[in-house]
Structures are given as C-alpha cells and as structure tokens.
C-alpha cells in the first residue's frame, strides 16, 4: 500500500526523535490515527482521557525531558479543549507541537459540522508558527519547521490537517521547481556566552556589592554547581522562583527557598535588605517581592533578550546560556572576605525552617494540610518527581517540602492554571518509569479534571514494572486559595455560593479504578498513609481531610492585608471563629520561633 500524508508525518516526527504523542481520537484526525496504528513500533500513542490533559502531558514531557512534546486531537471541540494546556506550555516557554484535525478542504467556509477557524483560534497560543496543510508538497517543511521553531523559540507551534489531506498520497520530496521548499532534519542546541566586555561590567557591579542576593529560576536548571560557586564567592543567598524549585537542593544553608506570595520569610528578608541583585534564568512576575526600585544595582542573565530588565531595571544584561555565562563570569568575581551578610542569610534560613516545622505541628480540624505535606518531606524517594496544582497546594509544595539533589519538580508557573498536577506526573511516569512521581492537588482541581486524569493512569499502569505513583488530594470542600484571596485582598467574607464544593469520595473512586485509595482524618494516620502509598504495588490516592481555616499566609503580611482580613471578619464570614483561631495559632509560631 502506498504511504499517505499521515504516514509521512509520523515517520518524519520519528526521524526528529519523537517517540511518544499524547492525544484523543476523532473523525477529524482519523487519517493520522491510522498511521499511528501502522507505526506502533516507532511512536507510542497515549490515549489521554481529555484533550486538555493531553496538552498538559505534552508540556510536562517537554519540562521533564527537554524534548519537544507532541499532542494530537480532532477538529473543532477537541482542538478547543487543548488550548489551556497549550497556553501552559507557551507561558512556561516549553517546546510543544500540536497536531490538529480539520474538516475536508471542500467543506471549509460552508459552516460544516465541527468546522472552526483553527488558524485564527490558535494564532495567539502558537503565534510563532501555525499553518494548515492544503497540499502534500507542504507536509515536509511544515512538520520540519513546526518542530524546529518549537525547539528554537521554546514555544508552542501548530499544524492543522484537513481530514482529506491526511489520506492523500505522501510526497517524500517536493518537486524541484520555483516556489517549492526543501527542508531537512536537525537542530543544534546553542550555549551562547556574552562578550567579555559585558561580563566585566557585570563583575564590577557584583564585586562592588556588599549584600548580594541571587534570584534563580528554571532557566538556571543546568547550572547547579556554577550557582553554588558564584554564591560562595559573593557571600550571597539564593532565592528560587517556583518553577526553579528543584534547581538546587533545599539543604543548602544559604538557599532561602521560594519567593513571592508562596515564598519564605528568608527570601523576603534577602530581597528587602540586599544592595545588589543577580537574576539568573527567571521571569518571576511579582515585582513587589523584589527590591524596591533604586535599592539595589542589578545584573541579569537570560538566554532570551526579550526577558531582561523586565521585572527590575537591570544595569547589566548578559544574554546567554546560564551555565556557560556563569562559567565565564566566575573567574572575574572576587571572593568577599566579609561574611556577615552570608551569616545573616543562613540564620534567617534556619529560623524560617523552625517556623515552618512549628506551623505544621499546629492542631487543626480535622488535619493541618501543612502537617500532611511536611510528613512527606522526609519520606521523599530518591530521584522522585513532584508536581503541584495551583492554589493552596502550591503553597505547601513551596514551603513544606525539602527537595534533595536529583529530584525534579514543576507546576504551572506563569499561567498558574488549575489541573496540571496529575497529567504532569503521568507524563513523568511515561518518561521515567523507574522513578516515583508525586502530585499534590486540591479538591477543586481534582473535581475539575483530576478524576479524568486518574482514568488515564488506570488504563496504562500495567505498563510500568514499578507502578508507584502517589496523588495527595487535600479535601477541604472549599476553593481555598480564592476564599482567602476574597478575605485578604478584597475584604469580603467567603462567598459560599462560589467557594463551597461538594464532598467526593476520592479514595473510593481510586479503588473503583483498580488503584489504591487511602483516606485519612487523624494526625496519627498521616505517616502510615505515606509509608503505605510509597510502598504500594500500584498508583495510590491519599485523600486527606484538611482544615480550610489553616491560612496560606504570605511571608510578609502588609497592613492593608490585615485591614482587609479584619473587614471580611466584621462583615460576617461563615468560618469566622475557626479562621481567627487558626490564623492566631499560625502567626504565633513566627513569634515563638
């Protein structure tokens, strides 16, 4: 049988190194599904229970492997479902290619069923490259460019395939005529280094600083040793943007942990008191948690010139690869003999660690979510992969886990969307079947899309020799983070009509799917639950009944936030008594420790 356009696409992606795609079928993409069936020995098609989760999995594949992620869906509704997961990839700068079906060419413009103008719809999320194939002669260069541009720009690209084109005869090599395009396979990863003159300018700023702070993001992930070396020379502390949670282990005494609303007090003190700031591979968006403008001189290292001097006015911008640039910069740095600033940072870190541990021990009704996550910290398996969903779960992920060298971690950093935690760990398990992925997710995200994600896990779990995966569901029957935002940001009591959600038997649902389910509501059950889950012969859901009144407090509470919170209580919050009690007990730990 002669090869079709779809066969050629699958073969071409395989030649590019793609060996797994995530998606869901439909009649708009059946030609490609047929080609995937014929090429099962080359590319593994993972049927994901929802197209949005398929896009999340493609994003996670890119995050955890460094390879391009590929997701595939039918036309119209399937393509629309993918958008949120693709925006997650775009905003976190991950290379993802979306392959979308479309109605037949002769039908377009006729308001055909499931006909959507996909080029226009995807023009924002895939603005670097979105094209519809209308001629088999286009296929080679459209696929080649979609993959190459996704890699080069670290972004989302999109290929749209009318269903009749999918079944046409393949053209391996376009005709050698005017207007034809002849592309090839291959992509070289560059590690650019700024010119010596700029490195010397940066060194002058850093050498003159007395109190140097470093803010590192996921763009510095390939440079852990260089980060340690420059921090040691500068006597600096290192705060980590949330996407860069795993770039350095948390046992470093000068690593102040996360920064921002979900960050640590040690990071707040670091930024509030520094006179020099070095930012590396980060697009951390909240300027109020950086030094006040004019307080500090600043140097930034980033591979993307569009991202420098964006969050803080920087004096020197070094455009280059983080590792290569730091290697070139380190020989120009003079070791600071006065270590008083470093000593203060290390004391702040030690003090904060005591506070976090004390807060986890505060009693709650029924469970303190900080305690549930804290009990995991010492039990984390070597080389595990941790994900968190958006909301309160991200806060506990940021503060209560101590990550070690060799671990990976991620979440939706810039889009901060709900629902990626479970598809992220599922993609991680496919990529690293010998490692243990762990997701921390709230009950809101679990009801929105998480229970769908468990179906995908149940379908494929028998592929993995080591089936260990753990999903912690924080069940408080409340869209908790937004409830606190209503109180602290708007001064409004919780609106139960928008915030209360029904109870759902997450552990029992897991058992229904053939997974392991554990439900806990007593403190003495927490440790044994983690032990059982991490030793299970199958994926496990831990359903922890937690107190919605435990506050996800920022590292520094402003007067305005206190006023708004008081206003919310005076207006009559349904949880008023428990809110006052839990907030008082939580804040008291900062005084006592």
């Amino acid at each position: 049988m002669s090869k079709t356009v779809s066969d050629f696409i699958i073969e071409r992606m395989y030649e590019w190194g793609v060996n797994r795609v995530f998606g869901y079928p439909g009649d708009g993409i059946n030609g490609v599904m047929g080609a995937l069936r014929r090429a099962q020995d080359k590319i593994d098609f993972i049927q994901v229970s929802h197209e949005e989760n398929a896009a999340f999995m493609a994003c996670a594949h890119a995050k955890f492997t460094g390879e391009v992620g590929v997701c595939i869906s039918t036309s119209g509704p399937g393509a629309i479902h993918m958008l949120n997961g693709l925006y997650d990839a775009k905003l976190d700068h991950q290379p993802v290619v979306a392959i979308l079906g479309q109605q037949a060419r002769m039908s377009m413009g006729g308001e055909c069923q499931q006909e959507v103008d996909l080029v226009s719809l995807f023009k924002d999320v895939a603005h670097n490259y979105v094209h519809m194939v209308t001629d088999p002669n286009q296929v080679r260069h459209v696929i080649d460019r979609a993959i190459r541009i996704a890699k080069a720009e670290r972004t989302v690209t999109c290929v749209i395939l009318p269903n009749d084109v999918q079944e046409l005869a393949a053209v391996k090599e376009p005709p050698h005529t005017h207007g034809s395009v002849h592309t090839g396979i291959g992509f070289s990863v560059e590690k650019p280094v700024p010119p010596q003159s700029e490195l010397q300018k940066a060194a002058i700023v850093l050498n003159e600083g007395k109190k140097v702070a470093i803010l590192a993001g996921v763009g510095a992930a390939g440079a852990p040793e260089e980060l340690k070396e420059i921090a040691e020379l500068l006597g600096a502390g290192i705060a980590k943007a949330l996407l860069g949670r795993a770039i350095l282990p948390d046992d470093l005494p000068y690593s102040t942990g996360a920064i921002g609303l979900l960050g640590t007090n040690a990071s707040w003190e670091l930024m509030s008191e520094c006179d020099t700031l070095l930012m590396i591979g980060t697009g951390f968006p909240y300027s109020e948690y950086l030094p006040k403008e004019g307080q500090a001189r600043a140097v930034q290292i980033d591979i993307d010139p569009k991202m420098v001097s964006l969050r803080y006015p920087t004096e020197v911008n070094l455009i280059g690869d983080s590792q290569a640039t730091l290697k070139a910069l380190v020989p120009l740095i003079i070791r600071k003999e006065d270590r008083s600033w470093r000593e203060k940072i290390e004391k702040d870190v030690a003090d904060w660690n005591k506070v976090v541990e004390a807060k986890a021990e505060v009693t709650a009704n029924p469970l303190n979510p900080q305690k549930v996550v804290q009990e995991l910290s010492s039990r984390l398996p070597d080389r595990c992969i941790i994900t968190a969903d958006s909301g309160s779960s991200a806060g506990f992920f940021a503060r209560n886990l101590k990550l070690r060298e060799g671990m990976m971690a991620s979440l939706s950093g810039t889009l901060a969307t709900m629902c990626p935690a479970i598809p992220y760990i599922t993609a991680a398990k496919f990529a690293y079947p010998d490692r243990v992925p762990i997701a921390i997710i709230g009950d809101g995200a679990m009801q929105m899309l998480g229970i769908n994600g468990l179906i995908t896990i149940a379908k494929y779990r028998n592929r993995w020799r080591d089936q260990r995966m753990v999903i912690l569901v924080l069940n408080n029957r409340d869209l908790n983070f937004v409830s606190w935002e209503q109180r602290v940001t708007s001064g409004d009591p919780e609106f139960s009509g928008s915030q209360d959600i029904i109870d759902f038997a997450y552990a029992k649902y897991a058992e229904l799917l053939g997974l392991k389910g554990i439900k806990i509501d007593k403190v003495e059950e927490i440790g044994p639950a983690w032990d059982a889950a991490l030793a299970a012969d199958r994926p496990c859901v831990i359903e922890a009944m937690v107190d919605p009144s435990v506050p996800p407090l920022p590292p520094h509470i402003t007067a305005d936030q206190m006023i708004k919170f008081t206003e919310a209580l005076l207006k009559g919050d349904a949880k008023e008594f428990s809110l006052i009690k839990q907030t008082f007990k939580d804040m008291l730990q900062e005084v006592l420790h």
Side-chain angles (χ1 to χ4, degrees):
M1 186 179 73
S2 61
K3 291 189 176 180
T4 66
V5 162
S6 297
D7 291 316
F8 180 82
I9 288 171
I10 299 306
E11 288 183 4
R12 197 70 173 179
M13 290 198 302
Y14 178 73
E15 290 171 4
W16 269 99
V18 174
N19 54 30
R20 185 176 298 114
V21 299
F22 308 96
Y24 201 81
D27 60 3
I29 199 69
N30 271 345
V32 178
M33 290 296 158
L36 283 165
R37 178 186 61 79
R38 292 187 289 274
Q40 291 179 73
D41 59 329
K42 294 180 178 177
I43 292 185
D44 189 15
F45 173 72
I46 306 301
Q47 183 207 72
V48 185
S49 58
H50 193 287
E51 291 95 346
E52 183 175 345
N53 276 348
F56 280 137
M57 289 177 74
C59 175
H61 180 85
K63 284 186 172 187
F64 292 133
T65 68
E67 302 167 356
V68 65
V70 179
C71 52
I72 185 167
S73 84
T74 189
S75 58
I80 292 166
H81 279 162
M82 275 194 167
L83 281 169
N84 192 50
L86 292 175
Y87 272 105
D88 183 41
K90 176 188 177 181
L91 297 185
D92 280 354
H93 306 286
Q94 296 304 313
V96 171
V97 177
I99 308 291
L100 308 177
Q102 179 58 292
Q103 298 308 300
R105 290 171 295 175
M106 70 175 183
S107 302
M108 286 187 283
E111 298 190 11
C112 184
Q113 185 184 37
Q114 296 193 338
E115 180 191 353
V116 172
D117 183 354
L118 295 178
V119 173
S120 296
L121 183 65
F122 281 74
K123 197 62 181 175
D124 180 54
V125 73
H127 73 274
N128 287 88
Y129 196 79
V130 51
H131 282 280
M132 182 166 63
V133 174
T134 57
D135 187 312
N137 289 296
Q138 286 178 272
V139 173
R140 190 173 84 177
H141 73 256
V142 169
I143 294 296
D144 286 351
R145 299 206 68 219
I147 295 174
R148 183 175 286 112
I149 290 170
K151 284 173 169 282
E153 300 294 332
R154 297 174 299 117
T155 193
V156 174
T157 60
C158 177
V159 176
I160 301 164
L161 302 168
N163 57 30
D164 59 325
V165 173
Q166 297 169 36
E167 305 284 3
L168 295 176
V171 175
K172 185 175 181 180
E173 183 180 322
H176 192 65
T177 59
H178 178 70
S180 62
V181 179
H182 299 259
T183 56
I185 290 170
F187 179 78
S188 298
V189 177
E190 291 186 47
K191 290 199 170 186
V193 179
Q196 190 68 18
S197 59
E198 294 303 302
L199 291 167
Q200 289 171 342
K201 290 178 186 177
I204 290 171
V205 172
L206 296 171
N207 287 331
E208 290 179 355
K210 305 297 183 185
K211 299 178 178 180
V212 182
I214 296 173
L215 173 58
V218 71
E225 297 308 314
E226 291 77 14
L227 270 174
K228 293 175 191 176
E229 187 174 5
I230 198 165
E232 174 60 27
L233 290 171
L234 293 169
I238 303 177
K240 297 184 288 187
L242 211 49
L243 272 177
R245 183 76 176 78
I247 60 174
L248 289 173
D250 287 317
D251 59 2
L252 294 176
Y254 53 87
S255 173
T256 62
I259 186 175
L261 184 65
L262 307 178
T264 71
N265 190 66
S267 292
W268 172 267
E269 296 291 335
L270 179 73
M271 293 296 155
S272 298
E273 299 182 23
C274 71
D275 63 14
T276 309
L277 176 63
L278 172 59
M279 294 188 287
I280 307 169
T282 177
F284 176 73
Y286 302 111
S287 297
E288 67 269 30
Y289 291 96
L290 297 178
K292 293 179 180 178
E293 190 167 335
Q295 170 192 323
R297 301 174 72 184
V299 173
Q300 186 166 2
I301 299 172
D302 205 289
I303 201 164
D304 186 349
K306 299 189 297 296
M307 296 301 294
V308 297
S309 203
L310 177 63
R311 312 301 186 194
Y312 191 85
T314 43
E315 190 172 331
V316 183
N317 295 308
L318 301 177
I319 309 305
D321 172 77
S322 292
Q323 183 185 40
T325 301
L326 285 172
K327 278 185 174 179
L329 181 61
V330 161
L332 305 177
I333 300 299
I334 302 169
R335 187 180 189 276
K336 298 192 186 300
E337 298 304 322
D338 182 355
R339 309 305 280 184
S340 57
W341 171 241
R342 167 63 77 83
E343 290 165 3
K344 179 189 181 303
I345 291 166
E346 294 186 1
K347 182 179 183 302
D348 287 344
V349 171
D351 289 347
W352 174 254
N353 287 337
K354 292 176 185 176
V355 169
V356 170
E357 291 171 5
K359 288 186 176 191
E361 297 302 323
V362 170
T363 57
N365 183 26
L367 292 176
N368 183 340
Q370 298 171 105
K371 176 69 171 176
V372 178
V373 178
Q374 189 89 0
E375 284 289 322
L376 167 64
S377 190
S378 62
R379 294 175 167 86
L380 287 170
D382 291 340
R383 300 175 65 248
C384 66
I385 302 171
I386 309 160
T387 69
D389 224 276
S390 297
S392 298
S393 56
F396 307 132
F397 160 85
R399 296 177 181 175
N400 293 95
L401 292 178
K402 299 300 180 187
L403 304 188
R404 303 191 302 276
E405 201 158 331
M407 295 179 179
M408 289 194 272
S410 195
L411 76 176
S412 176
T414 311
L415 187 61
T417 178
M418 293 170 70
C419 302
I422 290 180
Y424 271 27
I425 63 164
T426 311
K429 191 66 173 177
F430 278 110
Y432 303 101
D434 60 328
R435 300 174 76 160
V436 181
I438 302 168
I440 304 173
I441 183 170
D443 48 0
M446 198 67 187
Q447 290 185 18
M448 185 181 287
L449 208 54
I451 54 178
N452 293 61
L454 292 183
I455 294 172
T456 304
I457 292 172
K459 177 180 173 110
Y460 288 101
R461 71 180 181 89
N462 288 319
R463 282 193 176 194
W464 306 312
R465 184 180 59 81
D466 181 351
Q467 292 190 22
R468 288 179 299 162
M469 299 174 70
V470 186
I471 298 96
L472 170 64
V473 183
L474 299 174
N475 185 354
N476 54 24
R477 292 77 63 206
D478 178 38
L479 299 176
N480 191 243
F481 198 79
V482 175
S483 295
W484 280 95
E485 286 179 325
Q486 288 179 352
R487 298 175 184 119
V488 177
T489 304
S490 302
D492 287 330
E494 179 189 57
F495 174 35
S496 60
S498 72
Q499 300 310 109
D500 292 350
I501 59 177
I502 67 167
D503 199 3
F504 184 91
Y506 304 103
K508 287 184 178 178
Y509 178 72
E511 297 277 358
L512 182 68
L513 292 172
L515 312 180
K516 186 176 180 64
I518 303 173
K519 183 176 181 178
I520 57 174
D521 58 9
K522 296 181 178 63
V523 174
E524 59 269 23
E525 296 172 337
I526 298 173
W530 281 117
D531 292 336
L534 291 168
D537 63 351
R538 65 195 62 202
C540 180
V541 171
I542 298 178
E543 179 184 355
M545 308 302 291
V546 297
D547 191 340
S549 296
V550 173
L553 294 174
H556 177 77
I557 302 170
T558 66
D560 183 63
Q561 288 169 334
M562 286 299 297
I563 291 169
K564 295 292 187 184
F565 183 49
T566 304
E567 288 176 354
L569 296 178
L570 291 174
K571 292 173 184 176
D573 196 289
K575 299 184 178 79
E576 179 178 353
F577 177 72
S578 61
L579 290 171
I580 294 172
K581 181 176 70 171
Q582 290 301 144
T583 302
F584 173 76
K585 289 194 294 184
D586 197 89
M587 293 179 67
L588 183 62
Q589 306 313 308
E590 299 190 26
V591 177
L592 295 176
H593 297 86

